[in-house]
Amino acid sequence: MSAAEEPIRIGEEDRVFVLTGAGVSAESGLKTFRDQGGLWEGYRVEDVATPEAWEEDAERVWRFYSERRKRAGLAEPNPAHRALAELEQALGERFFLCTQNVDDLHERAGSRRLIHMHGELFVSRCENACGRAPFADHKLYESEAEIARCGCGGRIRPHIVWFGEIPLEMERIQQEIDRATVMLVVGTSGAVYPAANFVRWAGPRVRKYYIGPEEPMNAAAFTRLVLGDAGAVLPGLLEAGNRE
Ligand code: OAD
């Protein structure tokens, strides 16, 4: 076994915090953001993923997220999603997953102790803070006329954290980082904050592993980098024999 494949040991005393990004879904066929020459499915991020874009052209924003709903609905979890769900099964409440992804592939692989810090593709909410809770929504909205209205009169928008908005559940995430002894970061470029700082928020005794095909921008903060595709390497790194 080469050093790159040396397993990650998880003991009885350990608590594991996992952060995933677009790379964990790459082998399921969902494109990552930053390897496309600044374009995201042919759109500029600022035209589809900002509050300003919503004000300017809600139809374009919904067309973009409707397309992503379609693609995510057709994708299947890959071995990386499944390996993380199995780890959760083994560790129970000593496991916590924070994903930057808005797809539902972690849930469909069986993960339950997770937070979507950038929102969820299959959830919508009112654009106004009218008190209506976000709700499950698989519909496609492809023209202005199709965009649903809330009882308060506001338009229904994707439950997605756009650039310039505040990520969800940061307090809970901070608590889970504070008590973790192992941090696994999978498939994220380390370019978008605050998630890129989680590895720095973790204490010096926390073992910090990065798994992905290339070095992230915050590589220096990790104990070990395992360079490889998550679906190919994660199951072996986390296999049951490594747990006490
Ligand atoms: P990026 O697109 O920035 O980075 C994807 C990362 O996945 C890169 O570091 C790739 O090397 C890695 N990668 C590619 N294939 C992989 C594989 N098979 N296995 C493991 N890793 C692989 O995506 P994120 O870092 O997730 O925000 O982006 C963070 C945030 O920026 C997203 O949540 C989104 C985006 O704009 C919002 O939507 C608010």
Side-chain angles (χ1 to χ4, degrees):
M1 181 175 280
S2 78
E5 292 158 343
E6 201 177 295
I8 293 173
R9 299 224 164 267
I10 296 169
E12 257 174 16
E13 305 300 315
D14 282 320
R15 300 190 69 95
V16 179
F17 179 97
V18 185
L19 171 69
T20 63
V24 80
S25 295
E27 287 153 273
S28 296
L30 299 180
K31 287 192 184 136
T32 61
F33 314 113
R34 271 168 199 80
D35 21 302
Q36 300 178 69
L39 293 184
W40 189 2
E41 303 289 359
Y43 291 91
R44 295 187 319 149
V45 166
E46 49 275 38
D47 289 341
V48 290
T50 61
E52 293 75 23
W54 175 250
E55 286 315 321
E56 195 182 286
D57 193 342
E59 178 176 310
R60 182 178 59 215
V61 170
W62 259 125
R63 243 188 286 119
F64 172 72
Y65 284 102
S66 295
E67 183 58 33
R68 298 194 66 205
R69 282 186 175 178
K70 273 192 229 166
R71 290 186 194 207
L74 294 170
E76 293 294 336
N78 69 53
H81 297 106
R82 287 196 287 274
L84 291 171
E86 278 166 27
L87 185 62
E88 177 182 332
Q89 280 279 319
L91 301 185
E93 63 94 41
R94 292 189 293 125
F95 175 96
F96 188 79
L97 170 59
C98 172
T99 185
Q100 297 169 86
N101 297 347
V102 296
D103 67 57
D104 61 351
L105 296 177
H106 281 305
E107 287 90 333
R108 282 161 54 200
S111 290
R112 293 295 172 264
R113 294 180 49 77
L114 85 162
I115 277 179
H116 286 269
M117 66 176 291
H118 289 162
E120 295 177 65
L121 197 49
F122 295 107
V123 176
S124 299
R125 70 169 192 262
C126 178
E127 65 179 341
N128 298 330
C130 71
R132 179 177 177 182
F135 56 94
D137 186 7
H138 281 70
K139 281 197 211 105
L140 307 179
Y141 302 99
E142 280 156 345
S143 72
E144 180 87 45
E146 289 172 52
I147 300 176
R149 291 270 171 184
C150 177
C152 79
R155 295 169 300 179
I156 296 301
R157 61 162 275 182
H159 185 50
I160 301 280
V161 176
W162 287 326
F163 287 92
E165 296 183 323
I166 298 167
L168 307 173
E169 311 227 37
M170 287 308 299
E171 215 169 296
R172 172 89 196 274
I173 292 168
Q174 178 73 66
Q175 280 168 3
E176 294 290 345
I177 292 174
D178 287 348
R179 53 191 201 155
T181 58
V182 175
M183 180 177 276
L184 306 178
V185 177
V186 186
T188 173
S189 53
V192 174
Y193 289 82
N197 260 340
F198 291 176
V199 62
R200 299 189 186 96
W201 293 354
R205 282 187 301 279
V206 178
R207 285 117 64 206
K208 301 155 191 152
Y209 302 90
Y210 179 79
I211 298 105
E214 58 199 357
E215 287 197 8
M217 289 176 70
N218 52 2
F222 288 90
T223 318
R224 179 177 155 206
L225 306 176
V226 181
L227 297 183
D229 287 344
V233 302
L234 205 52
L237 287 172
L238 298 179
E239 73 196 358
N242 309 328
R243 296 193 280 274
E244 288 165 3

